[in-house]
Amino acid sequence: MTMNSLRRRKRISHLVFLFFVWPVKVQLSLERDTPSPSNVFSESEYLVSPNKLFWSMFFNPENSSNRYLGIQHMHTEMKIIWVANRENPFIDIDGYSHCFLNITEDGSLVLSDGNATSITINSESPAPSSNTSATRLNTGNFVLRAEEEVVWQSFDYPTDTILPGMKLGLFDQNLKQNKTRKYFLTSWDGPGHPASRIFTLGIDPNNTDQLVIWRRDIPYRHSGKWNGKTFSNFHNIKNYDGIQFSYIPNRSESYFAYNVHTHYSSSWI
Ligand SMILES: *[C@@H]1O[C@H](CO)[C@@H](O)[C@H](O)[C@H]1NC(C)=O
Ligand SMILES: *[C@@H]1O[C@H](CO)[C@@H](O)[C@H](O)[C@H]1NC(C)=O
Ligand SMILES: *[C@@H]1O[C@H](CO)[C@@H](O)[C@H](O)[C@H]1NC(C)=O
Ligand SMILES: *[C@@H]1O[C@H](CO)[C@@H](O)[C@H](O)[C@H]1NC(C)=O
Ligand SMILES: *[C@@H]1O[C@H](CO)[C@@H](O)[C@H](O)[C@H]1NC(C)=O
Ligand SMILES: *[C@@H]1O[C@H](CO)[C@@H](O)[C@H](O)[C@H]1NC(C)=O
Ligand SMILES: *[C@@H]1O[C@H](CO)[C@@H](O)[C@H](O)[C@H]1NC(C)=O
């Protein structure tokens, strides 16, 4: 192997995009593990999906006094697959954290450090009523519902991991505002730094049937066209036994997603 390809491998190793497959059927479960009756989910608690695969918890990365709310997959080396406040960590001042997640009176999900700082997780999608509940589903999705309607879901705010049922793409959800929403994956800045910095994986706005990896906002790799089975340059993303990728384009949205009908396995690209 040449130095060049070694160097390339090293750089790409910062890019941990994870594709999951798990043993049970992909099912949306209405069973819930919601925050406690007080509607506050605190430090030292875990919100666990009914199938016990996905756990939400507050965590500090190794050697860091930054505190985050994350979702961990209990297989796959306990990978943190989603971070609520990756750009806005709380800081443990005295080495002790008092963070909690609250469902507030107006129906919002609010993260707080127990002191002066709070972050409204669903600020882009305010709840229409205060009758909300938060649920961790078997798929790994964390949803906020008001009167049974989903108001906000973690699947709409990917971190660096795509799970079956998530979408990777471009969405013109609000044509009146002419805003395109990007559901892209962005790598952590480094092992102890969930903040998104270097690599992004998403759909090429110029050719929506292709994926692109950007490095610091500059196109770095193009996947080539999706041929229904794989990409000409990204061979790791392909349909094989039990894994089915699909490309769904139309005038207002274009995305890739995948489903799984097989036993547990996982891979990084
Ligand atoms: C944490 O610090 C130790 C000692 O300085 C170091 O060996 C280790 O690699 C660090 N871990 C991370 C994830 O930075
Ligand atoms: C959670 O939010 C409710 C309603 O907004 C508020 O009354 C309560 O004090 C909050 N809980 C904490 C621990 O701050
Ligand atoms: C609480 O907030 C005050 C004012 O911002 C700050 O001086 C103090 O250090 C904070 N304490 C903790 C434990 O975060
Ligand atoms: C709250 O929503 C649930 C359904 O999610 C419904 O059964 C209940 O009646 C609602 N409560 C109020 C006070 O609107
Ligand atoms: C939306 O953006 C496109 C391209 O920037 C522009 O041509 C179009 O007029 C805009 N539509 C609205 C409703 O603002
Ligand atoms: C899309 O096309 C523009 C104009 O040619 C170019 O600047 C940009 O880098 C292209 N984007 C990607 C992801 O290739
Ligand atoms: C695009 O597809 C989505 C779901 O697949 C659908 O909800 C939406 O109405 C479609 N939009 C157009 C313009 O066809």
Side-chain angles (χ1 to χ4, degrees):
M1 190 176 290
T2 65
M3 273 311 285
N4 253 349
S5 68
L6 270 176
R7 263 193 229 110
R8 201 164 62 226
R9 281 171 64 93
K10 192 144 189 288
R11 266 183 293 164
I12 293 205
S13 71
H14 290 287
L15 183 77
V16 185
F17 300 134
L18 188 59
F19 289 89
F20 270 119
V21 183
W22 70 71
V24 285
K25 289 189 293 279
V26 178
Q27 56 183 7
L28 277 177
S29 168
L30 292 179
E31 282 175 65
R32 47 184 69 171
D33 214 337
T34 56
S36 55
S38 65
N39 281 341
V40 173
F41 166 66
S42 63
E43 282 288 341
S44 78
E45 283 188 277
Y46 300 100
L47 269 176
V48 185
S49 62
N51 61 7
K52 309 278 188 284
L53 271 180
F54 296 98
W55 294 46
S56 304
M57 68 197 75
F58 289 96
F59 72 99
N60 289 50
E62 211 181 317
N63 301 342
S64 168
S65 56
N66 287 349
R67 196 89 181 139
Y68 300 90
L69 176 67
I71 298 176
Q72 192 170 38
H73 187 260
M74 297 316 278
H75 294 178
T76 334
E77 298 171 6
M78 319 279 265
K79 166 95 173 70
I80 304 277
I81 52 124
W82 185 79
V83 182
N85 55 325
R86 70 191 301 195
E87 307 294 347
N88 304 292
F90 297 122
I91 317 283
D92 292 353
I93 288 178
D94 47 8
Y96 188 76
S97 154
H98 310 269
C99 296
F100 61 87
L101 176 67
N102 195 358
I103 303 181
T104 56
E105 257 158 36
D106 63 0
S108 291
L109 275 175
V110 176
L111 269 180
S112 172
D113 66 352
N115 193 15
T117 317
S118 64
I119 300 164
T120 302
I121 296 188
N122 62 311
S123 57
E124 287 181 23
S125 318
S129 86
S130 57
N131 186 9
T132 55
S133 65
T135 312
R136 149 84 43 254
L137 303 176
N138 276 339
T139 52
N141 199 3
F142 185 40
V143 302
L144 179 69
R145 287 202 182 85
E147 327 280 351
E148 303 297 334
E149 292 285 316
V150 172
V151 175
W152 174 94
Q153 53 183 345
S154 61
F155 273 19
D156 290 343
Y157 298 87
T159 300
D160 66 343
T161 306
I162 181 167
L163 300 167
M166 287 177 75
K167 295 169 178 176
L168 188 66
L170 292 167
F171 298 83
D172 253 4
Q173 286 186 316
N174 195 337
L175 291 168
K176 282 198 187 112
Q177 285 180 20
N178 210 3
K179 274 192 187 155
T180 301
R181 272 266 297 137
K182 295 174 181 176
Y183 291 24
F184 286 4
L185 306 181
T186 307
S187 62
W188 285 29
D189 205 17
H193 306 278
S196 53
R197 290 280 139 68
I198 302 172
F199 291 105
T200 299
L201 173 69
I203 275 194
D204 185 344
N206 301 334
N207 303 286
T208 61
D209 60 348
Q210 303 193 21
L211 299 179
V212 174
I213 294 173
W214 285 266
R215 182 170 193 272
R216 301 192 193 281
D217 297 330
I218 295 167
Y220 175 70
R221 291 288 172 80
H222 291 82
S223 69
K225 282 195 184 304
W226 174 249
N227 67 8
K229 288 184 183 131
T230 189
F231 295 96
S232 43
N233 305 328
F234 289 6
H235 301 293
N236 290 0
I237 304 180
K238 60 174 184 281
N239 287 337
Y240 57 95
D241 283 352
I243 299 194
Q244 185 74 43
F245 283 90
S246 36
Y247 169 57
I248 295 111
N250 70 23
R251 272 175 36 195
S252 65
E253 55 189 60
S254 300
Y255 61 87
F256 285 91
Y258 76 108
N259 274 310
V260 160
H261 329 267
T262 188
H263 298 297
Y264 181 85
S265 76
S266 65
S267 63
W268 282 261
I269 59 160

